[in-house]
Amino acid sequence: MKILFVSAEVAPFAKTGGLGDVGAALPRALRAAGHDVRIVLPCYRRILEGNYRLRMLFPPITLSVGPARLSFETLEATLPGSDVPVYLVRCPRLYDRPNIYTGDGDEHLRFAQLNWAALRIAQQLGFAPDIVHANDWQTGLLPLMLKTVFAWDRLFENTRTVLTIHNIGHQGSFPASAIGDVGLGMVASSFHQEQLAAGRMSFMLTGILYANAITTVSPTYAREIQTPEHGVGLDGFLRARRDVLFGVLNGIDETEWSPETDRHLPHRYSVDDMTGKAANKDALLTELRLPKRPGVPLIGMVTRLAWQKGLDLCFEALPALFMQRDVQLVVLGSGEPKYEAFFGELARRLPNRVRFINRFSEPLAHLIEAGSDMFLMPSRYEPCGLNQMYSLAYGTPPIVHRTGGLADTVSQWNPTTGEGNGFVFDHFDARGLKWALGAAVDAYRAGRGWSRLVQNGMRAKLGWSHRVPEYEHLYKAIASR
Ligand code: ADP
């Protein structure tokens, strides 16, 4: 099939979180299954500063977008590890900024331009996609554009749209005047009228209303977002479209995340020979300048320091854990000041036991997954979550809250039956987290069964190749409608 995949993040070009990983891994896996996939991504400043081979595909195309006249060039790159073309929308006026996302007054225009450009590039190439695969709010206007302002073009006659919701918490909600700014004033009547009357418009809602199919990144999250508790105001609209709403779990990109081949690790290992894992722990502790203390478990965390990630529970649970049990902790992450202050203070107070690395580091993220004994991810909500899957694959049992994709991938360890691959607490409170942390540390110390627990995780089938058939099935189902 011909698939035009449009995303605000595609690793390694642009990534702030899981969307970047999926934006690369899913197209790569679809390509490996024989599909003609093309990616469209904004050409952020960091891409031009990076070491990529880019070639100019088209000279500038000028679009009238509302009151603005916006020119963009199309540069072509290749997705590493594949021959998937990546079309970069080079529009310095919108994308030549230090960050991928901004709080700037033209954020709506920055991503509307991505939607316009994606379809203009397809036209210029004469590429007639069977599927336009949109991702999150930044691409939420694509289904409506195809049904309205691009409907005249026979090129898109058989094109169907899929919108994947990676996180319903970010909806691209703007004042209603944004509709005119993004050049869709003539189809304003197609936007949700009640919302418009209240003076707002939302990219995500527009996508939900017009996509031929909606997916989200785990079966549990697909159910959760249809409830008022997790739907962030869109649950009613999602319930109305539940016939075309599917949960498809994300996968791991095994070309990037496998302990057997990981280029970031000083020592590789596998479920059959775990000696490299211990050597990685040594290397990690050395790099962190933490003392090596045999028998003392090292807990790892790699995360955006955001409300979603459930870090508020750590305020109470971690100091209590350090009082009660002998453990070490490494946290890699950046984000909200109150969490940065908390982990910074914890590391100052417990210099032999805690390290806080307050930045984004891909190599260190890999070493923490490999070198830690267990991985902490107490997310308040989690659409899918990749880090718990990386930890499973790296033999680092995850400690998680039972929510979203965490509930679909991590099951409670039962030493009696030898089943389970991690530690799962049901109630989102500090007591729940304390229980799970205590259970994990005690199981580690008891030794008995720990290697079985580790193997259960490492043997799970988490790669993208296991997920691609679900997307193929969905694409085919909507294509034939
Ligand atoms: P989310 O998309 O909500 O951030 P996920 O678990 O799905 O959560 O994906 C997070 C991705 O971002 C993982 O690949 C993780 O390793 C990476 N990541 C997050 N923070 C950092 C950091 N400080 N350094 C390196 N990688 C990070």
Side-chain angles (χ1 to χ4, degrees):
M1 298 183 92
K2 294 211 219 40
I3 301 151
L4 189 68
F5 190 94
V6 191
S7 175
E9 296 186 31
V10 177
F13 303 103
K15 162 173 164 177
T16 69
L19 176 62
D21 290 338
V22 177
L26 176 55
R28 204 180 275 134
L30 287 164
R31 179 73 195 114
H35 302 288
D36 181 359
V37 193
R38 322 277 180 103
I39 300 176
V40 185
L41 173 75
C43 191
Y44 305 107
R45 181 192 292 172
R46 65 181 68 185
I47 300 177
L48 293 171
E49 289 169 354
N51 214 353
Y52 302 109
R53 285 182 55 171
L54 310 175
R55 80 178 178 96
M56 162 101 76
L57 191 63
F58 309 131
I61 296 175
T62 302
L63 298 175
S64 292
V65 177
R69 278 177 65 75
L70 294 174
S71 287
F72 71 93
E73 287 169 2
T74 307
L75 306 181
E76 185 178 353
T78 306
L79 183 67
S82 75
D83 60 357
V84 174
V86 182
Y87 306 131
L88 298 162
V89 181
R90 178 152 194 240
C91 183
R93 182 177 145 187
L94 298 177
Y95 305 132
D96 185 13
R97 303 192 190 170
N99 292 314
I100 295 178
Y101 306 116
T102 74
D104 300 346
D106 60 354
E107 193 74 347
H108 57 299
L109 192 56
R110 294 179 72 232
F111 291 105
Q113 169 75 344
L114 172 64
N115 294 235
W116 283 110
L119 298 178
R120 286 291 286 115
I121 290 170
Q123 286 178 320
Q124 198 79 12
L125 288 169
F127 181 72
D130 298 300
I131 299 292
V132 168
H133 194 141
N135 292 278
D136 270 352
W137 75 260
Q138 295 86 3
T139 55
L141 300 178
L142 284 164
L144 174 65
M145 286 179 168
L146 280 163
K147 286 203 158 93
T148 55
V149 288
F150 284 88
W152 62 271
D153 192 341
R154 307 263 323 251
L155 187 76
F156 299 118
E157 201 174 25
N158 295 315
T159 301
R160 299 288 181 275
T161 51
V162 175
L163 170 68
T164 296
I165 300 172
H166 298 261
N167 191 336
I168 198 88
H170 304 284
Q171 301 180 356
S173 169
F174 298 98
S177 57
I179 293 176
D181 296 345
V182 303
L184 292 174
M186 65 290 207
V187 294
S189 61
S190 300
F191 283 78
H192 191 261
Q193 294 301 295
E194 247 171 69
Q195 202 180 48
L196 216 56
R200 307 291 300 173
M201 66 82 79
S202 146
F203 280 53
M204 185 75 107
L205 174 57
T206 308
I208 289 170
L209 294 176
Y210 290 101
N212 294 108
I214 303 160
T215 73
T216 185
V217 289
S218 70
T220 297
Y221 195 59
R223 286 192 298 277
E224 287 173 344
I225 58 176
Q226 296 181 56
T227 65
E229 192 192 344
H230 288 105
V232 198
L234 296 183
D235 45 290
F237 301 104
L238 289 162
R239 283 197 300 279
R241 301 221 64 204
R242 65 173 162 257
D243 292 352
V244 292
L245 170 61
F246 306 93
V248 182
L249 203 62
N250 282 336
I252 295 186
D253 186 342
E254 286 161 335
T255 62
E256 290 291 317
W257 290 95
S258 161
E260 293 176 42
T261 53
D262 192 325
R263 64 200 146 89
H264 296 297
L265 298 185
H267 308 277
R268 315 237 158 87
Y269 59 98
S270 71
V271 67
D272 301 317
D273 179 3
M274 295 289 284
T275 42
K277 180 157 176 77
N280 283 317
K281 180 174 180 183
D282 254 27
L284 176 59
L285 290 172
T286 302
E287 182 167 336
L288 298 172
R289 281 175 284 107
L290 274 176
K292 292 175 192 164
R293 308 206 24 236
V296 175
L298 173 64
I299 304 173
M301 289 179 86
V302 179
T303 182
R304 292 184 292 117
L305 297 176
W307 180 85
Q308 176 203 335
K309 298 297 174 183
L311 305 160
D312 297 81
L313 299 188
C314 294
F315 294 169
E316 186 184 326
L318 286 180
L321 176 74
F322 284 106
M323 298 272 285
Q324 289 162 0
R325 291 184 173 75
D326 200 2
V327 295
Q328 292 176 312
L329 171 73
V330 52
V331 181
L332 171 66
S334 55
E336 286 177 38
K338 69 171 172 180
Y339 304 122
E340 295 190 346
F342 168 74
F343 286 113
E345 179 57 28
L346 198 65
R348 267 188 298 281
R349 277 197 1 239
L350 301 168
N352 286 326
R353 300 171 75 187
V354 180
R355 281 291 176 279
F356 173 45
I357 296 98
N358 187 198
R359 59 189 164 86
F360 192 94
S361 164
E362 195 74 43
L364 190 55
H366 287 246
L367 187 56
I368 290 174
E369 292 286 4
S372 303
D373 296 299
M374 48 192 81
F375 192 88
L376 177 58
M377 196 161 169
S379 307
R380 201 179 279 272
Y381 74 94
E382 194 60 75
C384 178
L386 291 168
N387 275 317
Q388 86 282 9
M389 293 200 271
Y390 301 152
S391 7
L392 289 169
Y394 281 62
T396 310
I399 302 163
V400 305
H401 171 218
R402 193 186 304 281
T403 184
L406 300 176
D408 292 330
T409 51
V410 186
S411 53
Q412 176 60 38
W413 166 241
N414 179 337
T416 317
T417 61
E419 285 166 6
N421 58 17
F423 299 87
V424 188
F425 61 101
D426 286 305
H427 298 291
F428 185 77
D429 55 27
R431 241 181 85 201
L433 176 55
K434 279 192 239 173
W435 169 83
L437 282 165
V441 172
D442 292 347
Y444 179 85
R445 290 208 165 251
R448 242 177 332 103
W450 187 263
S451 56
R452 172 74 183 267
L453 161 65
V454 164
Q455 285 167 16
N456 289 351
M458 294 181 85
R459 293 218 159 96
K461 296 196 174 358
L462 301 167
W464 268 108
S465 55
H466 301 285
R467 306 287 166 241
V468 163
E470 295 180 58
Y471 279 102
E472 286 176 323
H473 184 76
L474 173 67
Y475 289 164
K476 284 189 188 131
I478 57 173
S480 61
R481 266 187 210 164

